[in-house]
Amino acid sequence: MLELVNLSHRYPGSSRAALQGIDLRVQAGECLGLLGSNGAGKTTLLSLLSGVLPLQQGTLRWSGKPRLGLVPQQLAFYAGLKVRENLELFADLYRLHGAERRQRLQQCITICALDDKLARRSEQLSGGEQRRLNFAIGLLQPADIYLFDEATVGVDATNRQHLLAAVEQLTAEGKAVIYTSHYLEEIERVAQRILLLHEGQVRLDLDKRQLLGDDHGLLLEWPDAPPTGLS
């Protein structure tokens, strides 16, 4: 569904590239778990894929014309609107109509536990609740490939499990997913492949089964010093 060849990016004025020579493929029905410390290049990569940043170097190939859904690291909704108003606005932007609109809205509201928050102004939600609204808006969009950029930061443990289950359901339905997180247990749960970025370069790109130890936990051998910031 997606292939990157020698993808690189350097921000203006920076002394080093944010991404250097990235090669990877993502297939339909596959979740690629993207690990890396702060500044490793994870958000830059998703920004290039979603068109937020212009392509500077390398090739980005899509199979056909896939629809793309994004749950960004930064909150992306209208703080002054109520939760229901935000969801309905984005449903309009995604051109959802009729039964599909009603079904997807209710599904996202239920998954993200927003039923009792619909009448509240979005700016009045707690940090974790705002994250769940952000997640719901990204999940609301019908897409072939979904990009999740540290989408569960600040979400409590119980609701995080519901969000992860929704990611698993996407790949079960044949969607492609790229999922970034600092939480190893999240990547272990949702991803079939794990890619480690360090200083803008791919240091590991392996099937998850290659990284499972006898205790069924991930065993990562860092290429140099372990990147900081992982928890």
Side-chain angles (χ1 to χ4, degrees), residues 9 35 69 81 83 88 99 101 109 114 142 154 156 166 183 217 230:
H9 188 85
L35 286 169
L81 295 181
V83 170
E88 291 180 345
R101 177 190 177 98
I109 290 168
L114 296 172
D156 63 90
Y183 302 120
L230 293 180

Side-chain angles (χ1 to χ4, degrees), residues 187-202:
I187 297 296
E188 181 177 1
R189 172 170 172 174
V190 303
Q192 289 80 48
R193 284 174 53 221
I194 296 176
L195 185 146
L196 173 66
L197 276 179
H198 182 49
E199 296 184 347
Q201 295 180 309
V202 175

Side-chain angles (χ1 to χ4, degrees), residues 72-111:
Q73 188 178 66
Q74 301 298 323
L75 298 176
F77 53 77
Y78 294 92
L81 295 181
K82 296 177 181 179
V83 170
R84 183 185 295 279
E85 292 172 337
N86 262 301
L87 291 169
E88 291 180 345
L89 172 61
F90 280 93
D92 289 340
L93 294 174
Y94 299 154
R95 299 181 180 180
L96 294 173
H97 304 285
E100 182 188 18
R101 177 190 177 98
R102 292 190 296 273
Q103 180 181 5
R104 294 191 71 88
L105 278 169
Q106 188 54 56
Q107 182 182 42
C108 292
I109 290 168
T110 300
I111 288 171

